[in-house]
Amino acid sequence: MAKPKVKEVIVVEGRYDKNTLSQVVDAVIVELGGFAVFNDKEKQAFLRKLAKERGIILFTDPDGAGFVIRNRVKGNIPEGRVLQAYVPDIYGKEKRKRKGGKEGKLGVEGMKPEILLDALRRAGATIDEESTVKGNSITKADLYDLGLIGPDSVEKRKALCKRLELPEHLSANALVEVLNLLMSREELQGLFQ
């Protein structure tokens, strides 16, 4: 059975949350790196851009730290559309951890798939069985053809990222993913004509 597609970008605290959610839904999932996002101006600008273009869903753990992160990120995104997904307080510990968190609650990574999907639905996520990619998908070959990857591409890629208000250190794979969120292949090619 195909995973449901979520139009909005899902924002989670860390990689284990991202891994768990990616097994449940087909979505772009951005990890914040916990409290590190507070000092990462590039990531904050990136989140504002994603919120404006696609909308974001904040999906943090139900503990105190998760709420601090959630509120701080939401406060940095005035112009965008921000949805809030919440998981219930379920006490226990994740399998990979020796001991539970300070508050003893399971985080996003410890939730069952149906709970995660229900939380996204209740948040108002746009869930669809159809693809949400605009037009023809952008590939790494397109980036190569436009001189954005390959020999002497660094400055051209940095200039594009600056123009689109994206972090300059995106890998080629991340750049493909982000560009597909923001535009079609034709729109990208139009930037270079």
Side-chain angles (χ1 to χ4, degrees):
M1 189 170 128
K3 293 186 279 188
K5 290 178 179 17
V6 176
K7 177 182 173 260
E8 295 83 6
V9 175
I10 302 173
V11 178
V12 296
E13 289 180 54
R15 71 173 185 245
Y16 294 106
D17 300 327
K18 179 178 180 175
N19 182 41
T20 299
L21 268 171
S22 66
Q23 294 173 39
V24 177
V25 293
D26 180 1
V28 175
I29 303 169
V30 174
E31 59 184 271
L32 295 173
F35 291 117
V37 73
F38 297 163
N39 298 316
D40 189 339
K41 300 295 178 213
E42 270 193 350
K43 189 166 269 184
Q44 290 174 24
F46 180 53
L47 291 171
R48 281 192 294 275
K49 182 160 186 66
L50 290 174
K52 188 175 176 185
E53 298 285 334
R54 294 260 307 244
I56 63 172
I57 300 171
L58 290 176
F59 207 158
T60 61
D61 293 345
D63 58 9
F67 277 88
V68 168
I69 293 167
R70 176 188 295 271
N71 292 330
R72 189 84 167 266
V73 170
K74 186 177 187 321
N76 284 327
I77 306 175
E79 77 278 5
R81 188 166 59 104
V82 179
L83 300 175
Q84 304 270 0
Y86 298 99
V87 291
D89 287 342
I90 298 175
Y91 291 87
K93 73 171 191 62
E94 281 82 10
K95 289 177 185 159
R96 72 174 176 87
K97 295 182 179 175
R98 277 203 174 132
K99 61 181 191 155
K102 203 166 28 174
E103 296 177 34
K105 298 175 185 176
L106 289 176
V108 171
E109 75 172 277
M111 295 291 158
K112 290 183 166 80
E114 56 273 13
I115 292 174
L116 296 172
L117 202 51
D118 184 53
L120 289 168
R121 284 195 175 103
R122 282 182 289 133
T126 308
I127 299 175
D128 193 3
E129 298 304 321
E130 299 301 315
S131 174
T132 57
V133 175
K134 301 179 190 175
N136 290 329
S137 294
I138 298 166
T139 65
K140 281 169 74 171
D142 295 318
L143 298 189
Y144 186 83
D145 291 344
L146 294 168
L148 294 168
I149 57 175
D152 305 318
S153 62
V154 174
E155 291 307 314
K156 197 169 187 181
R157 190 169 54 250
K158 276 186 180 179
L160 175 68
C161 287
K162 185 174 179 129
R163 182 175 176 185
L164 297 176
E165 300 173 353
L166 298 171
E168 68 178 42
H169 300 294
L170 289 174
S171 67
N173 288 337
L175 185 58
V176 166
E177 191 174 312
V178 170
L179 289 173
N180 274 309
L181 287 175
L182 301 176
M183 64 189 67
S184 67
R185 177 186 287 149
E186 294 74 26
E187 290 168 320
L188 175 63
Q189 291 166 338
L191 294 175
F192 292 92
Q193 292 173 347

